[in-house]
Every structure is written in structure tokens, then in C-alpha cells.
Amino acid sequence: MNTKINKVAVLGSGIMGSRIACHFANIGVEVLLLDIVPKDAGDDKKKRNQIVNDALKFTLKSNPAPLYRKSYISRITTGNFDDNLKDIADCDWVIEVVIERLDIKKQVFENVEKYRKKGSFISSNTSGIPINLMNEGRSEDFQKYFCGTHFFNPPRYMKLLEIIPTPKTDPAVIDFMMEYGREFLGKTTVLCKDTPGFIANRIGSYNLLNLLHGVKELGMTPSEVDKLTGAVMGRAKSGTFRTCDVVGIDTLVHVANGLAASCKEDEKVDRFVIPDFVQTLVDNKWLGSKTGQGFYKKAKNDKGKKVILELDFATMEYKEPGKVEFQTLTDAKKVEDLDERLRVLAAGKDKAGEFYRKGFYDNFSYSANRIPEIADEVYKIDAAMCAGYGWERGPFETWDVLGFVDTYKAMKDAGYTHAKWVDEMVDAGITSFYKIEGGHKKFYDIESKSYKVIPGTESLIQLDNIRDEKTVWKNSGASIIDLGDGILNVEFRTKMNMLNTEAVEGLTTAIDMAEKDYKGLVVSNDGANFCAGADIGQIFKLSMEQDIDGLHNAVKDFQNAMMRVRYSSIPVVTAPHNMALGGGCEINLHADKVVAHAETYMGLVEFGVGLIPAGGGTKEMARRLSKNAKPNDVEVNNFYANMVTVGQAKVSSSAAEAFDFGFLVEGRDEIVVSRELLLTRAKNSCLALANAGYVKPLKEKDIRVLGRQTYALAMIIGNSMKSGGYASEHDELIVQKLGYVMAGGDLSAPTMVSEQYLLDLEREAFVSLCQEMKTFERLKSMVTTGKVLRN
């Protein structure tokens, strides 16, 4: 069996097809994207490809971007079914993404069989048609290599990939798809049964539709439900009704109708019947964001101010939402830990508490009753809901958080009948669906009545699974964890993993410990973000007090910490993901190697609070300008590019773009598409550096700065930005300070300087900006409101 995917054909260029094509391009695969020929195209080649080209063009304009880099579009070739289907002959995988009609899909597959090479993979991205029905009439080789591969939209960002075999699919094909999806596409791959909605849409649709039926019973409004079902309970910020508006209410109805028709034996099939008020929305063509109104509607009030109105379920008219106030919600928002917050929500004594208990119990009961119908193991349902719907805790994980046995009893008291296998668990004295043991998360296996390691995680390092046992040091801002094989890991544990005094102490302590007793250090965490920057609260306080010495000391301490990262006697490898901003970016700039998750958004953003990067970030951009210089380079142009990157606070839209901005280094740093594999890869990289005889770098004294010619350019840039209305007078000052440091000061000619020389300039410029009232106002706005002030 060929297990290398060099070229993929995507048949169908609609919303999903184009985006799937883009994601394969992201990982370096050559893609052939095909669609139908317009009826009036004739022999005009351009017109014959108009549908596919227009679809791809539309996708490339979408936000969030489907490609890691715009240049990756060159990896996609477009064509049409009539002229180019023969070109699938050299493709390793053919993915069908055409309209959701079985007759059309079967016709496509009949034509595919004329050209596909034997042994090539073939799959359907259907979300509603039984996979086995597509196999009818196909050859033995086709059936052997055919399965369902259900991506979620948008494919670049959504983690779930459901793999659905037919009875005739070769098990080796499924094994390959599961591993390829995880390692190369960066997905949480979940093996599903060929049942309606598979796993995620079956459970997710039930929860949504059950809520729609229950919302009128509880007398709740859309805004109330969205507050209760959003981030506070570890779900998408948009909550329920805003998500419905974005997805499209017609889409919701289509999915629900399909499940209602195909799940006749489901004990809750009545909940898949669309409520009357939702049907009214469809009849009125109030389909959500795409029609301008759905559960919400944008409008202007009597004073001409833009407002968002919500639907009144009783009158089917729109009204301004009232203030959402529930004691349970107030209490929960005071709790940072999600598990503890979920317990607060479920224990609420008001209407919100009643809402949560009913929602949890319905979810637990329905999910348990789907075993073994849609899955045999609990972890598959949890993984599908977390990866496909963005839940931080799946149904069975949440049940454990609330207390398996106590919740079981509470549900019985509330009139719920449990699945037989759940009763058997309680009778056998089992107290949880999961447990941590031997550094692994294990699930309760119903068939063997024992705990087993979740398949595919046997060799993974996951901090949640080793933190309690392997933490060797901690304070309020950081923990140091022994990863084994002589490698330590330091994780920040502050809000948004910001670098406060305690987090920096954790970083330097980890380096001290590693230099003494270990081989190397990894900087990573399993939070939502790697690091959202330095905690500017201290800088704001010192600026308010105009404590100049305190400011110098605070900046110097941070600079010294970054220099410890660079000049430690052991290798330091960082593993950023999501936001790596400001100080979080600067840690990566000073590491020996960066193993970045593909979805890493990196940038030096201090400009937004009236400052320049001062943890070595400005110095490092000047240093990299020098080190990357090639003979005959136009140095001023490169200086300008780096100035703009920092001065406009550019943030990469991916790890790939971070190379373009100069934050990552070609040939040294690497990208990992799978978030699940990130820490394991980072540890292995650190160990490899250590075992290769790592020698700490010598402090640099030969950084070539350009002096007056580029400082003058910085002055011109700042003035031009202000004159053009793109920047304020204070922005101009910040640009000039930034340019002064990156130029190496007002030197009369290009000069070789040391890192320390640039750090001193950087610190002086930073402290001088802290003495400006406009900077103080920006700092105050960020600290007190969390918003960037443009003044």
C-alpha cells in the first residue's frame, strides 16, 4: 500500500471543497481542484473553468484565511470534470465533495473509476449520506480503498476529522487515514460508525435542537442563552443563537430534518423535529447573518445608534435585549478554573442553575444512550465534541467533573433512566469514566470492564497527564515539569499565560535547574495561548509613579531573562501555539530552536500601548537584519521591512507567515501541524540538540548597524505616516524611537556593535516613552479596559 500522499484531487469546489484543497496545499501537497462546466461555456477554456476558479477566488477572500501563506495557492491547479477528470490518474487520494445527493455522488464515482489508479485512496466528505450506499456497483479495489472522511468547516481551523469505514474498507486504509489525518493534517481523527450524523453532528445537533425546544419552556431569551452557553462553560464565545445565525438557520433545519428522517429508532427523535418558531424563521427567510436577520438583527434605535436586537419567541418580533443577570453566572465568572466553574454552574439555585442541570443531564443521558449505536467507547464521543464543536470538555468528561456517582444519583432523582452499561458501572463500584495513571489518560472500556489508554496517545507527552506526578518546582505563575530523558518543561500558568514577575522567575529557575541537573529545557504549555505578552500592569504602575529607576530595573530584569534563554549552557526549545505576542514573541526570538504549531500568531505588538519591544525584541530585529544580510543586498530596504513589521505591530496569521516576518528562522525552526504532537516533537528536538554536544553561543559583538542613514529613514517614515493621516504625533515619536534603536543610534557610519549595546539603547528608549503622557494613557486604557487606545 502506498502511504505517501504527494497529490490529491478534490472533486467539488464549493465552500468545503475549496477549503479542503487549501488545507492540503498548506501541508505541501499538490492539489487538483475540479468542478462542473457551466452550461454556456462552449469551447472557451476560461469559461469552462469559471465555476471552480470563482469558487477558489471567493475562498481566498474569506476570513479567517484558508491558507497559511498566500503563495501556497500555486500548489492548487483548477480544472473541470469534463476535461480534467483524467488527471486524477496520478493522484494518491481522491476526495469527493459534491452536492449532498446520492445519485450525483454515485455518478461521480462511476466516472472516477474510469481514471483513478489502483491502490489510490478515495473518500467522500458527506455529512449526511450513509457511506456504504456509495459503494454499490464499485470495483473491489475501489471498495477496498474507499471510506468517509468528514472534515469540519473551516478545514484549516476545525480540529475534527471523522473517519467512517464501510464493511469492505481495508482496515489498513483506516489505520493510515487515522494517522495521516492526525500527523499531517493536524486533526483529531475519530473513527466513527456509519450512522446518521456520525458522532459530532448527532450529539451536537441533539443538544442544539433540545435547547431550542426547551428555551420557551424555561422562558429564556436568545441573549440569556448565549451568555449561559458560551465561554463560561467552556464552549464557543458566540454561544448558541449567534452560532446558529453564523452557520445559517436553513443549514440547521436541513441537518435536523435529515436526522429526524433517518433516526426513527432514536428515543429522542421528537427533538429533531424543528420547533414552530424556527420554521417561521425559515418561512420568512430570516436565515441568520447571510440574510441580515435570524435570532438577532442589526438595527438603529430612536437615537440613530446601531443596536443588535433579539427575537422575541412569543411575538416573533425583534426587541432590544435586556441585561443578563443570574447569580449563578456571577458566581461562576469569579472562578478561573473551568472544572470548578462547571461545578458552580451545575449547583446554581436560580433559573440559570436549573437551565444548566437540565442541559447537562439531557446531554449525559443522550450521549450514554448512543453507545454502542454510534461509538463503542466514551472517548470517541468526547473527542468528537471537543474537536468538532469546540467544547473544552466532552459529555463524559463533564460528567466526571461534576462527580460521576453523585450526578448519576441526581439524574435518577430527576427522573432520568440510565443506559444499562452506566448502571453496570455504578453497580461494579466504578467512580469515573477516566483516570490518569502512569502518565496517560485512560478511559473506562465498557466491553472489557477495565481502564485502557486512549489509542494513539501511548507515546505522547501531555502535561495534564504528568503535571501532578512530575512537577519539580512551581510558584503562582509557572510550573517546572520533568518530561523525562533529562528534559525539563516550564509552563506559564497566569491569565492568558502573560509574563509577570512569577512567570519570569519560573523561566529563569527552570534554566538554573536544567543547567545544574538536566540536559535541556522546553518552554510550552497546554493553555489556550502560548503567551499573550508581558503583564503591563507593573509597567503601568511604575509609569504612573514615574519611578524611573524602577522602570530601568524591571526592563533590565526582563532583558536578562531573555539573555538567559539565549546564553544558557543547555539548549532551550520553545513550542508556541496560538498567540505568542510581545514578550511571548521575544522568548521565541531568543530560543535555540522554535517548534511552532502551524496555528501560531506571533508578533511584537508593544506599539499598541505606546512602547517599543524591550525584552530584546527590537535588538533582535536589528541583529537578524545584520546576520541575514547578503552581498549586494539593499540594506536600507531590509531595514525598512523590519521597521514596518514592528512599527505596524504585525502579527503572523500562521507559523509559516512568521518566517516571512523574520520571527522564525529558515533551516532551524520547524512547524508542527498537529497540536497534539507539539510537545513531544519539541522535547525530541531539545534532546537531539543536547545529545549532539550542545555548546552555548558566544555573546555577539559583531552586529552591523547602519547608523545615521537608516535613523534618518525612520524619521521620514514616522513623518510620512503622520502626514498621510495613518499615525498620530505620538505614533511618529514611537517610530522614531524604534528606528533609533534598530539603526544603532545616531552613528555617522555603519558600525559593529554588541548585543548589550543594543539592549541598552532599547531600554533607554522604552523608559523614555514611559515618561510620555500619551504612552501612559495607552497603558491605562489597556490595563483598565483591555482596549488599544489610539491617541
Side-chain angles (χ1 to χ4, degrees):
M1 178 185 293
N2 175 30
T3 56
K4 289 188 177 179
I5 304 296
N6 296 313
K7 186 174 181 179
V8 166
V10 178
L11 310 183
S13 64
I15 290 175
M16 282 302 297
S18 292
R19 285 163 175 77
I20 290 172
C22 286
H23 192 52
F24 274 96
N26 282 332
I27 65 170
V29 174
E30 184 182 353
V31 182
L32 176 65
L33 179 63
L34 305 180
D35 214 314
I36 60 174
V37 177
K39 292 179 179 179
D40 61 347
D43 294 329
D44 187 322
K45 185 177 179 180
K46 186 175 181 181
K47 283 187 177 180
R48 291 177 73 80
N49 289 342
Q50 184 172 345
I51 289 175
V52 65
N53 288 335
D54 286 351
L56 184 57
K57 189 182 297 184
F58 175 80
T59 291
L60 296 177
K61 291 179 180 178
S62 62
N63 186 27
L67 289 172
Y68 293 157
R69 274 180 172 141
K70 291 180 181 179
S71 61
Y72 289 172
I73 187 62
S74 64
R75 297 170 178 173
I76 302 175
T77 301
T78 58
N80 63 75
F81 292 148
D82 292 358
D83 302 328
N84 305 105
L85 193 60
K86 65 182 186 303
D87 298 332
I88 70 171
D90 63 348
C91 292
D92 305 301
W93 184 356
V94 177
I95 305 174
E96 170 273 310
V97 203
V98 301
I99 191 170
E100 288 286 86
R101 277 179 49 184
L102 180 59
D103 59 332
I104 293 178
K105 290 179 182 292
K106 292 182 78 169
Q107 181 61 52
V108 168
F109 288 135
E110 184 173 335
N111 290 328
V112 164
E113 280 230 79
K114 298 174 184 177
Y115 303 108
R116 70 171 278 271
K117 64 183 176 183
K118 284 191 175 183
S120 62
F121 301 104
I122 183 158
S123 66
S124 171
N125 189 63
T126 182
S127 59
I129 299 175
I131 302 299
N132 69 88
L133 295 181
M134 303 180 202
N135 249 347
E136 295 174 356
R138 303 278 63 84
S139 68
E140 183 179 343
D141 186 78
F142 184 107
Q143 293 177 341
K144 177 181 177 180
Y145 286 94
F146 177 72
C147 66
T149 49
H150 183 209
F151 290 82
F152 275 59
N153 190 35
R156 170 183 165 180
Y157 300 94
M158 295 302 292
K159 296 178 181 178
L160 182 59
L161 174 58
E162 293 180 315
I163 307 293
I164 311 99
T166 75
K168 296 183 179 180
T169 309
D170 187 334
V173 170
I174 298 306
D175 291 342
F176 171 78
M177 288 289 180
M178 292 287 289
E179 186 57 30
Y180 185 89
R182 181 175 76 152
E183 182 165 351
F184 293 97
L185 292 169
K187 301 302 177 189
T188 297
T189 49
V190 177
L191 185 60
C192 300
K193 295 185 178 183
D194 193 5
T195 54
F198 309 130
I199 293 178
N201 279 344
R202 182 71 172 277
I203 302 294
S205 295
Y206 168 75
N207 276 275
L208 173 58
L209 289 157
N210 186 53
L211 190 153
L212 292 179
H213 280 286
V215 70
K216 289 180 75 174
E217 298 167 11
L218 287 170
M220 302 187 82
T221 66
S223 56
E224 286 178 330
V225 171
D226 283 349
K227 282 285 187 182
L228 295 175
T229 57
V232 71
M233 64 180 302
R235 305 272 176 92
K237 289 181 181 179
S238 53
T240 299
F241 290 104
R242 290 190 191 280
T243 300
C244 288
D245 275 357
V246 170
V247 172
I249 296 168
D250 53 338
T251 302
L252 162 68
V253 170
H254 174 76
V255 172
N257 288 340
L259 289 170
S262 56
C263 297
K264 298 296 187 183
E265 303 302 316
D266 191 315
E267 77 279 4
K268 294 290 187 178
V269 67
D270 61 303
R271 298 310 245 187
F272 290 114
V273 177
I274 295 296
D276 291 342
F277 70 92
V278 177
Q279 188 59 55
T280 299
L281 290 175
V282 176
D283 295 341
N284 291 345
K285 293 186 168 45
W286 298 349
L287 305 180
S289 301
K290 59 188 172 187
T291 60
Q293 64 189 103
F295 292 113
Y296 293 97
K297 177 183 178 181
K298 291 181 180 179
K300 289 185 179 180
N301 61 16
D302 296 339
K303 297 178 181 178
K305 182 180 178 182
K306 290 182 179 179
V307 294
I308 295 178
L309 307 178
E310 67 177 358
L311 187 68
D312 185 322
F313 298 130
T315 65
M316 294 304 291
E317 295 179 351
Y318 291 93
K319 64 178 184 179
E320 287 200 43
K323 190 173 182 180
V324 178
E325 291 183 307
F326 295 108
Q327 188 59 47
T328 294
L329 197 58
T330 301
D331 294 342
K333 286 182 176 179
K334 297 175 184 176
V335 180
E336 189 168 337
D337 179 73
L338 175 59
D339 289 351
E340 181 57 36
R341 200 159 65 237
L342 289 171
R343 289 189 279 268
V344 171
L345 296 176
K349 303 299 183 184
D350 54 7
K351 185 166 69 171
E354 180 186 352
F355 171 85
Y356 282 118
R357 283 188 294 277
K358 177 172 172 43
F360 286 140
Y361 295 172
D362 285 343
N363 185 11
F364 299 161
S365 176
Y366 187 78
S367 298
N369 282 330
R370 301 284 69 74
I371 294 177
E373 180 195 350
I374 67 173
D376 293 322
E377 299 90 0
V378 296
Y379 76 87
K380 289 181 180 177
I381 291 178
D382 283 340
M385 294 314 300
C386 291
Y389 277 72
W391 294 8
E392 291 188 49
R393 300 286 184 275
F396 299 105
E397 291 171 324
T398 304
W399 196 338
D400 269 358
V401 166
L402 301 185
F404 170 56
V405 176
D406 288 344
T407 301
Y408 170 90
K409 293 176 181 177
M411 288 172 66
K412 270 205 162 185
D413 291 342
Y416 288 83
T417 301
H418 288 287
K420 182 180 178 182
W421 65 270
V422 176
D423 288 330
E424 291 173 351
M425 280 182 67
V426 174
D427 292 342
I430 304 299
T431 59
S432 66
F433 294 108
Y434 297 96
K435 68 177 181 178
I436 304 298
E437 189 174 75
H440 296 289
K441 184 175 182 178
K442 295 183 175 182
F443 71 98
Y444 180 75
D445 180 59
I446 299 166
E447 184 178 359
S448 67
K449 294 180 169 44
S450 64
Y451 286 94
K452 294 183 177 181
V453 176
I454 296 173
T457 67
E458 296 88 350
S459 61
L460 292 183
I461 305 170
Q462 296 174 305
L463 294 178
D464 269 349
N465 300 340
I466 63 174
R467 186 177 289 110
D468 290 344
E469 183 182 350
K470 297 294 184 178
T471 296
V472 295
W473 183 95
K474 66 179 180 179
N475 65 7
S476 62
S479 296
I480 302 172
I481 299 169
D482 188 346
L483 300 181
D485 300 315
I487 305 299
L488 287 179
N489 182 88
V490 60
E491 61 169 347
F492 307 130
R493 297 183 62 78
T494 56
K495 184 177 181 180
M496 297 186 73
N497 288 324
M498 289 189 293
L499 292 167
N500 62 9
T501 302
E502 290 74 22
V504 173
E505 180 191 12
L507 177 64
T508 55
T509 300
I511 294 173
D512 290 341
M513 293 175 68
E515 287 181 326
K516 183 179 179 182
D517 297 313
Y518 296 84
K519 292 182 178 181
L521 174 68
V522 173
V523 185
S524 80
N525 62 72
D526 54 11
N529 298 288
F530 174 74
C531 176
D535 184 351
I536 61 172
Q538 181 185 12
I539 299 300
F540 170 65
K541 182 175 181 294
L542 293 170
S543 297
M544 183 170 60
E545 297 169 351
Q546 284 299 288
D547 183 350
I548 307 305
D549 289 340
L551 283 165
H552 271 286
N553 290 335
V555 176
K556 193 167 188 176
D557 286 346
F558 192 64
Q559 288 180 335
N560 289 342
M562 296 302 102
M563 291 303 99
R564 287 297 314 283
V565 172
R566 164 153 291 165
Y567 294 113
S568 62
S569 60
I570 44 88
V572 177
V573 174
T574 56
H577 65 281
N578 284 3
M579 288 196 290
L581 305 177
C585 178
E586 287 171 315
I587 294 174
N588 293 288
L589 292 178
H590 292 91
D592 292 293
K593 180 170 183 172
V594 182
V595 180
H597 183 232
E599 299 301 339
T600 297
Y601 315 123
M602 190 177 291
L604 296 167
V605 296
E606 288 81 357
F607 200 94
V609 289
L611 298 168
I612 68 168
T618 304
K619 173 271 302 178
E620 190 61 17
M621 295 304 281
R623 173 187 167 275
R624 292 189 178 195
L625 186 68
S626 169
K627 298 303 175 185
N628 295 335
K630 297 180 177 62
N632 302 316
D633 270 357
V634 181
E635 294 175 306
V636 172
N637 288 355
N638 295 336
F639 176 89
Y640 175 79
N642 280 16
M643 272 281 300
V644 169
T645 295
V646 182
Q648 292 185 355
K650 288 187 176 181
V651 176
S652 69
S653 63
S654 65
E657 193 174 52
F659 282 100
D660 299 337
F661 290 166
F663 300 141
L664 298 182
V665 178
E666 295 284 359
R668 184 198 73 175
D669 300 333
E670 66 177 277
I671 296 174
V672 175
V673 183
S674 170
R675 178 74 180 87
E676 189 178 36
L677 298 175
L678 184 64
L679 177 55
T680 305
R681 295 278 181 85
K683 180 207 168 179
N684 291 341
S685 291
C686 190
L687 189 59
L689 286 172
N691 290 341
Y694 177 82
V695 177
K696 74 176 182 179
L698 296 173
K699 293 190 175 181
E700 295 187 24
K701 299 180 181 179
D702 59 347
I703 301 170
R704 187 172 186 269
V705 293
L706 302 179
R708 194 167 292 166
Q709 61 172 315
T710 45
Y711 178 43
L713 175 61
M715 301 282 282
I716 294 170
I717 292 170
N719 184 262
S720 297
M721 289 172 64
K722 187 185 73 172
S723 299
Y726 301 111
S728 67
E729 187 173 329
H730 190 53
D731 292 329
E732 180 184 19
L733 175 64
I734 304 167
V735 169
Q736 291 171 357
K737 295 280 187 181
L738 174 67
Y740 183 81
V741 177
M742 289 183 62
D746 190 18
L747 301 172
S748 60
T751 307
M752 295 295 186
V753 300
S754 67
E755 272 190 282
Q756 191 57 54
Y757 170 85
L758 289 173
L759 287 170
D760 291 342
L761 287 184
E762 180 185 84
R763 187 175 66 256
E764 290 290 344
F766 184 94
V767 172
S768 69
L769 284 169
C770 286
Q771 297 172 61
E772 297 285 336
M773 178 55 69
K774 296 289 187 182
T775 291
F776 174 75
E777 291 169 355
R778 292 189 184 188
L779 286 167
K780 182 179 179 181
S781 177
M782 183 59 68
V783 170
T784 57
T785 70
K787 296 180 179 179
V788 173
L789 174 67
R790 304 301 302 170
N791 60 352

